Amino acid sequence: MKKYIVPAFFLLPALLVFTTFIIFPVIGSFYYSFTNWDGLSATPQFIGIKNFENLLHDETVWKSLGVTFQIAIILMLGQNVLGLALALGLQGSSWVQKVLRVWYMIPLMLSYVAISYIWNYMYDPRNGIINFLLRSVGLSNLTQDWLGNTDLAVYSVIFSIIWQSFALCMLIYVAGLQAIPKDLYEAANIDGAGKGRMFVNITFPLVAPAFTINMVVTMIFGLKIFDQIFIMTNGGPGGVTENLAMLLYRQAFTFRQMGYGSAIAIVMFLIILVVSLLQVIILRKREVEH
Amino acid sequence: MLSLKRVKWIGAVLSIALLLSACSETNQGNSSNSSSAEDKPVTITVAMPNDQYQSLSELNERFQDQYPNIKIQFDAVPTDQYETLVNTKLASGDGPDLFNVNSGTKLDPLINSNNIMALNDESWVSRLSPSGLEAASRNGNVYALPGFQAIIGVVYNKQIFKELGLSIPQHWDEFLEVAQKIKDSGKIPLALGLRDAFVTQFIPYAMAPSAIYRDHANFDNEMYEGKQTFVGSPWEQMLADYLGLEEKGFFNDDVMGTGLDSMFQMMASGDAAMSVIVSPMIGAIRGMNPEIELGVFPLPYVKEGETIYVSTGTSNVFAVNANTKHPEAAKQYLDFLSQPDNMMVLIEGSLSAFVDVPSQADPAIMETEDAMKKGTYTMLDTIWPNTVQPTLFTAVQKVFTGQSIEAALKEMDDAFKRGIQ
Amino acid sequence: MNRFLGHIGKIPVYVLLGVWTLIISIPLLVVILTSLKTMPEVKSNPLSLPSSFQWSNYSVAFEQGKMLAGFSNSLIITSLALVFIVILSSMAAFPLARSQSKWASVIYLYFLSGIMVPFQIAMVPLYKLLNSLGLNNSHLGVILIYTSSAMAFAIFLYTSFYKTVPRELEEAAKIDGCGPIRTFFVILFPLIKPITSTVIITNALFIWNDFFVPLLFLQSQNSRTIPLSIYMFKSQYATDWTLTFAAVIIASLPLVILFFSLQRFFVQGIASGAVKG
């Protein structure tokens, strides 16, 4: 018995806070997902699995599922490819590289509210900077309604998110790259390997732990994105930027279907769980192999 | 290096910090008194979206001067978040004593969950105009203090009309001709910004009274009875004509990405000649360009010779929280606001909902007075079940981006059915 | 010069870096320029230098946006939350990393599941909970919410890091007669500084800039944090970009300045945490 006191002492505060403020609310919303609560009445009515049945037949749910994955996957790929490419160029220790590494982190210091306002201004079709620049170099036929065009809107939002947060990903890659012993490259060079092969056989495999972390984290982050979409497009135009998080908010708070919204939240949680587990398993395996 | 002494000191600091943060709880909740005696000092919490009734801060000062024992804690919440915030607070039993509510069917969820109280016995109820009564009542009970009456109309730039020799169109074909002439002169006929979703509803609401309700006043009741649907009704033609304006190039470019403020700017700068808006918005346009000459006419969605009906609605100011600990103070506040000199400040620039409060609306809005006498119908979201209006927003956005009108109307029908379950 | 760089070809990399640097810098430049102009100037040429510096935009934004209150609220909440996060997570991760027993793995996974919980799922139940605890509209309530949501990831980082710390030090301390508490705070804590700085930096960023939690749980005017102040400010002055961007700059300046002075730690912190994980 005594040997449990010490671990308990260390664990208890965290367990208490975590359970109270995360687990209880999650259980609460499990409960609400089996009701038709409207968020206002004192007593929600139990309706069994009806919410989940409706969910399966709801077109908007399937559509937003697609949008969720679209956003998450492009975000994950975009951040990682860009992060790695930039890291390759910035892994050295010249002053230019040091300065750029710092400079690229500035967007991270801005809040989502600030980022959304900045990019709303950049993307505005009449007064925005992007179209202004295009017009002033004579490319006015390329001007677009960046946030209003249903084909472009998602990509515009995704780009602004990448713009803000790619630096974290990049820095992790820089650290990973810096950890690779230089003699490996020298040895390969002596053996006559070209730059492509060096990347494939040395860099990529050895940067695997950084790769794993980045992929998993950016994926989870991408699946849950809410604030930026909320402020920039509110799910519009016509629902093309509405991912599950936005749909959940709309159902729960705009349509006052708290029960239904909770059911969607449960589904979202399960998806994130499954995807993350799969990712970790696949990527860890790959890590070990190399 | 951390010594144990240091650790203990840090521990002490932490505990103090913990205490401090708990104490720095800004004590904004309901005040400690739960009595109803008016003499004890009392604080009442009041919530309002921050883009409406902006003269409230001034009026609150007046109120506190007049009733020194009642203090007002006023929260102007950003409009997009207003409903979420208030509902979340009400759901956990911590709602404001007075809060802004919408009209008509929008009151139902609050009534059904026993969150707002009936105010039938208040002295100001007898002074309400018919439209005020309509906006604030459900099932024969009055639930809110009404404020100003708004209309949806076409605001137009008088200087441009004069230059191009245009007169106010009296029917739809004339309206299209006017728009074409404006377009040919190089200006934008109609400013429209659908990025802010609520803008989507203005034109359909402006069309509906003439297209449907003038000749078929019972349409909404029939919808509730399941005898009418959006599909197969004049709505199909309405949306087709709405989209038709876009197809003829009468709107600005990139409507989907244009916001409300750009709409106002286009009017204010004279780039656009007309825009369909709700009457309180005229103030914002004038604010951007005080020199501008503006007028308003009702959207003439009629055939030649037919009567135009105007879309109008009265907004509510506040309802009283059914669970408030200070019902007397809250009611006194409402009574104060309903007094003619205060109400006039409250609704500045708009039409009033009280028979003894003269309308001192913007002269541009007053130009529609005659049209309003001929016939009006209330703004549709106050009659529909609450699920329909948000669906209308997305339906219009989808139609503008290529979806079929029939599919969009079907979504609205589904939403209607869900709402009456 | 980096030998590997030489092998991949300098030119494409330089082009990418150059282009991307422009992409990063132009919006930032626009924000700064716009904040110093008047609206008519902005509309005629968004990219021009201001004809005269409108510093008044900043004072209007500061006063009307109630930024002083915003800063003090943000500061209190962020610093206290960070303290809680670091202490609770580093403590909890200790037995989880050192113990081989099954219950340790179970508890570890229990904490980890928190990473996947989307915030919206907990919104309304949390509101009811805070209310019943009397923590509504209080700094402490929000601090506890931030602490609990940061815990999962922080515990993950600490646990991974502990595993790389050799046990010999703890064992030596035990032999010397140190109790577990002393061992932890005096010996271990200084060693985990790198990962602590990662935890602090990532969470500080998130908490300082977070918008949604204060929106729901800290609405009253006196308790607003900085992002909320900008948001409220913008909805009042919706069409005036010059004021909005002045507000954005004021709000972002502290973090940016802090960042520049501590950037070595930032960069190190993020990198070391991730790689060891």
Side-chain angles (χ1 to χ4, degrees):
Chain A
M1 195 51 208
K2 180 158 184 241
K3 77 168 184 162
Y4 286 120
I5 294 189
V6 171
F9 169 76
F10 279 91
L11 279 169
L12 224 47
L15 271 177
L16 206 64
V17 172
F18 183 74
T19 309
T20 315
F21 290 92
I22 300 263
I23 301 298
F24 276 162
V26 169
I27 296 181
S29 65
F30 262 97
Y31 165 65
Y32 289 131
S33 69
F34 293 111
T35 69
N36 64 354
W37 194 40
D38 65 352
L40 280 178
S41 349
T43 42
Q45 265 184 310
F46 193 73
I47 57 170
I49 57 169
K50 195 134 182 291
N51 281 328
F52 292 97
E53 282 174 358
N54 288 340
L55 214 154
L56 283 174
H57 294 118
D58 192 341
E59 257 183 48
T60 48
V61 171
W62 288 102
K63 183 155 185 249
S64 68
L65 193 63
V67 173
T68 310
F69 277 109
Q70 183 187 21
I71 293 181
I73 293 178
I74 299 181
L75 261 180
M76 177 183 75
L77 289 175
Q79 287 203 29
N80 278 284
V81 167
L82 185 67
L84 185 55
L86 290 172
L88 284 172
L90 291 184
Q91 57 179 308
S93 38
S94 72
W95 73 268
V96 169
Q97 291 172 317
K98 282 189 182 167
V99 163
L100 280 185
R101 288 203 295 256
V102 171
W103 185 248
Y104 284 171
M105 283 188 74
I106 294 187
L108 272 175
M109 304 296 142
L110 305 171
S111 66
Y112 295 140
V113 182
I115 299 285
S116 306
Y117 291 153
I118 294 175
W119 282 95
N120 265 343
Y121 184 56
M122 298 286 293
Y123 285 140
D124 188 291
R126 311 194 92 236
N127 306 314
I129 298 292
I130 297 184
N131 282 353
F132 176 76
L133 282 173
L134 286 173
R135 279 184 214 122
S136 40
V137 295
L139 287 173
S140 17
N141 54 327
L142 285 182
T143 59
Q144 300 290 346
D145 188 1
W146 303 100
L147 287 176
N149 183 323
T150 44
D151 297 323
L152 290 178
V154 189
Y155 300 103
S156 306
V157 173
I158 292 176
F159 185 75
S160 68
I161 300 176
I162 294 182
W163 185 87
Q164 182 188 23
S165 41
F166 77 98
L168 276 177
C169 198
M170 180 188 80
L171 283 179
I172 292 179
Y173 277 127
V174 168
L177 285 172
Q178 287 176 334
I180 299 178
K182 299 291 175 276
D183 2 345
L184 283 175
Y185 292 122
E186 295 190 23
N189 192 28
I190 292 172
D191 282 348
K195 53 188 175 196
R197 277 189 70 197
M198 282 210 269
F199 183 77
V200 170
N201 289 341
I202 302 180
T203 316
F204 202 57
L206 284 179
V207 99
F211 187 67
T212 308
I213 283 213
N214 269 335
M215 293 290 264
V216 174
V217 169
T218 51
M219 186 65 169
I220 297 185
F221 168 70
L223 288 169
K224 291 204 284 187
I225 296 249
F226 178 76
D227 296 56
Q228 296 92 323
I229 302 181
F230 184 75
I231 304 182
M232 281 186 89
T233 59
N234 202 17
V240 292
T241 54
E242 189 173 66
N243 63 359
L244 279 176
M246 290 292 305
L247 179 67
L248 194 165
Y249 181 87
R250 190 155 70 96
Q251 287 294 343
F253 291 90
T254 315
F255 285 128
R256 269 187 245 272
Q257 308 273 3
M258 288 280 177
Y260 194 50
S262 302
I264 297 179
I266 305 279
V267 168
M268 217 179 128
F269 172 65
L270 289 173
I271 291 179
I272 297 180
L273 191 64
V274 167
V275 168
S276 320
L277 281 177
L278 278 175
Q279 266 195 310
V280 171
I281 293 176
I282 296 178
L283 291 172
R284 282 283 180 199
K285 246 182 78 179
R286 208 187 134 267
E287 248 182 75
V288 171
E289 274 168 26
H290 286 89
Chain B
M1 207 24 196
L2 276 179
S3 66
L4 196 56
K5 194 168 137 197
R6 264 261 200 100
V7 171
K8 286 191 184 148
W9 180 81
I10 292 177
V13 169
L14 272 182
S15 334
I16 296 180
L18 200 67
L19 278 173
L20 271 181
S21 70
C23 291
S24 78
E25 266 178 56
T26 38
N27 183 12
Q28 312 292 355
N30 298 320
S31 81
S32 40
N33 300 328
S34 54
S35 72
S36 52
E38 296 149 23
D39 298 330
K40 286 198 196 159
V42 141
T43 304
I44 50 176
T45 48
V46 176
M48 171 65 71
N50 70 351
D51 64 344
Q52 289 187 50
Y53 294 115
Q54 271 142 354
S55 44
L56 269 175
S57 348
E58 185 197 321
L59 287 170
N60 288 344
E61 304 257 332
R62 275 199 213 173
F63 178 78
Q64 285 171 132
D65 289 338
Q66 205 174 321
Y67 295 92
N69 58 313
I70 305 181
K71 203 167 167 297
I72 298 190
Q73 193 197 301
F74 181 58
D75 244 323
V77 183
T79 313
D80 314 330
Q81 304 307 319
Y82 177 77
E83 250 189 85
T84 308
L85 278 179
V86 171
N87 288 344
T88 318
K89 286 185 134 181
L90 287 172
S92 63
D94 184 36
D97 297 306
L98 292 134
F99 50 95
N100 174 261
V101 290
N102 289 315
S103 321
T105 50
K106 299 264 179 77
L107 291 168
D108 290 342
L110 291 166
I111 299 173
N112 295 337
S113 55
N114 297 319
N115 272 308
I116 55 180
M117 58 164 72
L119 301 166
N120 306 343
D121 300 324
E122 296 307 295
S123 54
W124 44 264
V125 172
S126 53
R127 299 162 39 217
L128 290 175
S129 70
S131 74
L133 207 52
E134 192 184 339
S137 327
R138 295 295 290 159
N139 312 318
N141 294 320
V142 174
Y143 286 102
L145 176 75
F148 63 82
Q149 187 181 12
I151 60 163
I152 297 185
V154 184
V155 65
Y156 70 100
N157 185 318
K158 286 191 173 170
Q159 286 150 325
I160 298 181
F161 267 52
K162 217 186 303 180
E163 279 169 31
L164 299 176
L166 299 169
S167 53
I168 296 180
Q170 301 296 326
H171 56 94
W172 191 243
D173 287 332
E174 259 182 13
F175 181 70
L176 296 177
E177 276 172 31
V178 164
Q180 186 63 53
K181 288 206 186 112
I182 299 174
K183 180 163 190 251
D184 294 334
S185 79
K187 299 222 177 250
I188 300 171
L190 284 160
L192 184 69
L194 296 183
R195 192 182 76 194
D196 291 319
F198 64 89
V199 176
T200 54
Q201 66 191 323
F202 297 165
I203 294 184
Y205 284 9
M207 292 171 156
S210 314
I212 306 177
Y213 299 96
R214 182 192 64 210
D215 301 329
H216 197 161
N218 218 20
F219 188 80
D220 286 327
N221 289 336
E222 288 173 16
M223 278 198 81
Y224 273 96
E225 288 164 16
K227 295 189 194 145
Q228 287 278 4
T229 54
F230 289 112
V231 171
S233 73
W235 274 90
E236 289 182 9
Q237 186 62 47
M238 279 163 55
L239 287 186
D241 287 329
Y242 190 1
L243 191 60
L245 293 170
E246 163 82 346
E247 286 162 357
K248 295 187 172 69
F250 290 158
F251 293 129
N252 45 286
D253 290 332
D254 306 317
V255 286
M256 298 304 298
T258 306
L260 188 67
D261 40 310
S262 293
M263 256 175 81
F264 292 166
Q265 263 171 22
M266 283 187 260
M267 282 303 297
S269 60
D271 288 333
M274 303 186 283
S275 189
V276 179
I277 58 173
V278 187
S279 48
M281 294 179 171
I282 293 185
I285 301 178
R286 287 200 195 278
M288 290 183 188
N289 180 359
E291 320 289 315
I292 196 169
E293 284 176 36
L294 293 174
V296 176
F297 61 84
L299 186 71
Y301 192 61
V302 292
K303 298 199 187 66
E304 187 168 357
E306 287 180 352
T307 316
I308 308 170
Y309 267 37
V310 183
S311 175
T312 173
T314 300
S315 82
N316 287 324
V317 189
F318 291 123
V320 179
N321 191 331
N323 302 310
T324 174
K325 299 198 174 82
H326 314 292
E328 295 309 319
K331 290 183 185 174
Q332 250 177 337
Y333 182 62
L334 287 187
D335 191 77
F336 169 81
L337 290 175
S338 75
Q339 297 309 313
D341 22 321
N342 295 322
M343 183 49 73
M344 275 177 59
V345 173
L346 196 57
I347 62 170
E348 52 183 330
S350 289
L351 309 162
S352 100
F354 283 82
V355 291
D356 58 351
V357 177
S359 295
Q360 10 110 62
D362 189 297
I365 301 177
M366 295 312 289
E367 291 175 14
T368 57
E369 229 186 338
D370 290 337
M372 283 182 64
K373 293 205 180 100
K374 293 205 190 113
T376 64
Y377 197 71
T378 181
M379 291 183 193
L380 297 172
D381 56 306
T382 60
I383 292 238
W384 285 339
N386 297 338
T387 43
V388 182
Q389 184 192 25
T391 316
L392 171 67
F393 295 168
T394 30
V396 170
Q397 283 186 334
K398 285 185 185 167
V399 163
F400 265 72
T401 50
Q403 197 194 53
S404 84
I405 291 179
E406 188 149 342
L409 289 177
K410 174 129 196 335
E411 271 182 42
M412 284 171 61
D413 277 321
D414 289 340
F416 197 99
K417 283 198 202 86
R418 267 205 319 266
I420 55 181
Q421 267 171 7
Chain C
M1 193 53 196
N2 191 315
R3 195 158 281 203
F4 178 69
L5 198 56
H7 288 287
I8 206 161
K10 294 188 184 155
I11 304 210
V13 175
Y14 282 172
V15 168
L16 175 65
L17 284 176
V19 168
W20 192 252
T21 308
L22 268 183
I23 295 182
I24 292 290
S25 315
I26 291 183
L28 296 176
L29 200 63
V30 165
V31 171
I32 299 178
L33 287 177
T34 309
S35 70
L36 290 169
K37 297 190 201 166
T38 60
M39 271 311 277
E41 266 188 276
V42 172
K43 282 206 287 192
S44 58
N45 185 353
L47 288 179
S48 63
L49 286 173
S51 55
S52 63
F53 290 79
Q54 302 286 332
W55 297 109
S56 56
N57 287 339
Y58 282 86
S59 42
V60 171
F62 194 82
E63 276 177 42
Q64 298 299 324
K66 302 197 172 36
M67 300 225 152
L68 194 59
F71 277 127
S72 81
N73 289 320
S74 284
L75 202 60
I76 296 177
I77 292 176
T78 308
S79 25
L80 283 179
L82 285 175
V83 168
F84 286 1
I85 293 172
V86 167
I87 303 248
L88 268 71
S89 309
S90 61
M91 277 173 63
F94 185 44
L96 292 180
R98 289 298 180 229
S99 164
Q100 314 285 16
S101 62
K102 220 190 220 162
W103 60 259
S105 329
V106 168
I107 297 187
Y108 181 60
L109 285 175
Y110 178 66
F111 277 122
L112 233 53
S113 63
I115 298 185
M116 322 204 198
V117 174
F119 181 67
Q120 291 81 8
I121 203 181
M123 261 159 88
V124 178
L126 255 184
Y127 199 92
K128 286 200 143 192
L129 178 71
L130 279 193
N131 204 47
S132 47
L133 290 176
L135 290 175
N136 229 333
N137 225 3
S138 74
H139 286 159
L140 185 60
V142 172
I143 291 174
L144 287 172
I145 293 180
Y146 282 133
T147 308
S148 54
S149 30
M151 222 172 261
F153 199 59
I155 289 184
F156 165 69
L157 287 177
Y158 274 121
T159 317
S160 320
F161 194 80
Y162 282 140
K163 297 200 171 149
T164 69
V165 176
R167 290 183 185 234
E168 289 85 52
L169 285 165
E170 293 153 53
E171 281 156 24
K174 211 190 224 175
I175 295 176
D176 278 350
C178 281
I181 302 177
R182 214 156 164 209
T183 313
F184 180 76
F185 280 106
V186 175
I187 310 247
L188 214 51
F189 208 69
L191 286 177
I192 55 175
K193 267 207 201 110
I195 199 75
T196 301
S197 57
T198 308
V199 169
I200 289 185
I201 287 156
T202 44
N203 282 305
L205 271 179
F206 172 68
I207 298 175
W208 183 271
N209 282 332
D210 182 53
F211 153 77
F212 213 61
V213 170
L215 182 71
L216 284 184
F217 301 109
L218 274 185
Q219 312 87 15
S220 63
Q221 299 204 2
N222 316 345
S223 348
R224 273 182 212 151
T225 57
I226 282 290
L228 215 56
S229 305
I230 318 180
Y231 187 70
M232 301 290 208
F233 182 69
K234 168 116 192 335
S235 39
Q236 272 191 298
Y237 289 86
T239 55
D240 197 331
W241 290 107
T242 62
L243 290 178
T244 306
F245 285 145
V248 165
I249 291 191
I250 298 177
S252 316
L253 221 47
L255 261 189
V256 173
I257 294 178
L258 195 69
F259 169 64
F260 274 124
S261 41
L262 295 177
Q263 42 101 335
R264 210 162 26 107
F265 296 110
F266 268 71
V267 174
Q268 260 177 16
I270 291 176
S272 67
V275 177
K276 299 246 175 142

